Amino acid sequence: MRTYLVVVDESPEAQIALRFAARRAVKTGGGVEILALIAKPDFVQWGGVMATIEEEARQRAEALVAGAAGTLIAESGLKPRITVREGNGPKIIRELIADNPDIAALVLGAAAEGAPGPLVSHFAGEASALPVPLMIVPGSLDREAIDRLS
């Protein structure tokens, strides 16, 4: 099944990318995989504090993807695959794509204003090295424009 990989965070552009991917998946008979990335926290001298920081970050990421999945199910009827990983974002994304031949495209949202974001900047600069198409959805699009384009 053709799967669209979407990286979500708390930004508005991530929600736009998710909507675009969901609409494409519905129209193409595909699916959506939602990826939440957890940044490795800076080293904290006390182990208990470090464990608490890591657990809180994981809980935030899991709540984020649960909310995104609920929105996706409500709006499109698609049940997404959910992945939460900690570490280097570009490396994790490449690993997911390499491990799952069903992933047909990487869908990222660009910020509506200013710099496009670290993942968009990274992958746009290396798009020719990706084994799947990179779809960058402008953060300035409204719901109607996304629906028309997808």
Side-chain angles (χ1 to χ4, degrees):
M1 172 189 337
R2 173 181 300 209
T3 301
Y4 295 90
L5 176 61
V6 182
V7 181
V8 297
D9 57 19
E10 296 168 337
S11 67
E13 57 266 22
Q15 298 307 310
I16 289 170
L18 182 61
R19 181 171 183 87
F20 179 86
R23 302 285 296 180
R24 289 295 313 145
V26 166
K27 289 181 180 179
T28 63
V32 174
E33 181 165 351
I34 299 172
L35 170 63
L37 297 169
I38 303 171
K40 281 203 165 270
D42 294 330
F43 177 75
V44 176
Q45 186 173 358
W46 300 282
V49 173
M50 181 74 160
T52 300
I53 291 170
E54 289 173 346
E55 181 58 27
E56 287 174 354
R58 177 161 291 285
Q59 288 174 355
R60 272 193 313 276
E62 289 173 355
L64 178 69
V65 294
T71 300
L72 185 68
I73 292 168
E75 291 184 2
S76 68
L78 292 174
K79 183 176 180 188
R81 179 175 169 175
I82 296 173
T83 304
V84 177
R85 297 266 177 93
E86 180 179 344
N88 177 283
K91 181 180 178 195
I92 291 168
I93 291 167
R94 282 191 190 88
E95 289 171 356
L96 278 176
I97 292 170
D99 292 345
N100 186 348
D102 288 339
I103 294 177
L106 171 60
V107 182
L108 300 173
E113 295 179 359
L119 288 177
V120 172
S121 296
H122 176 85
F123 285 109
E126 297 186 10
S128 64
L130 279 172
V132 298
L134 171 64
M135 297 179 169
I136 300 173
V137 183
S140 59
L141 297 178
D142 61 21
R143 293 170 68 91
E144 291 76 27
I146 292 169
D147 294 350
R148 274 193 320 275
L149 293 171
S150 61

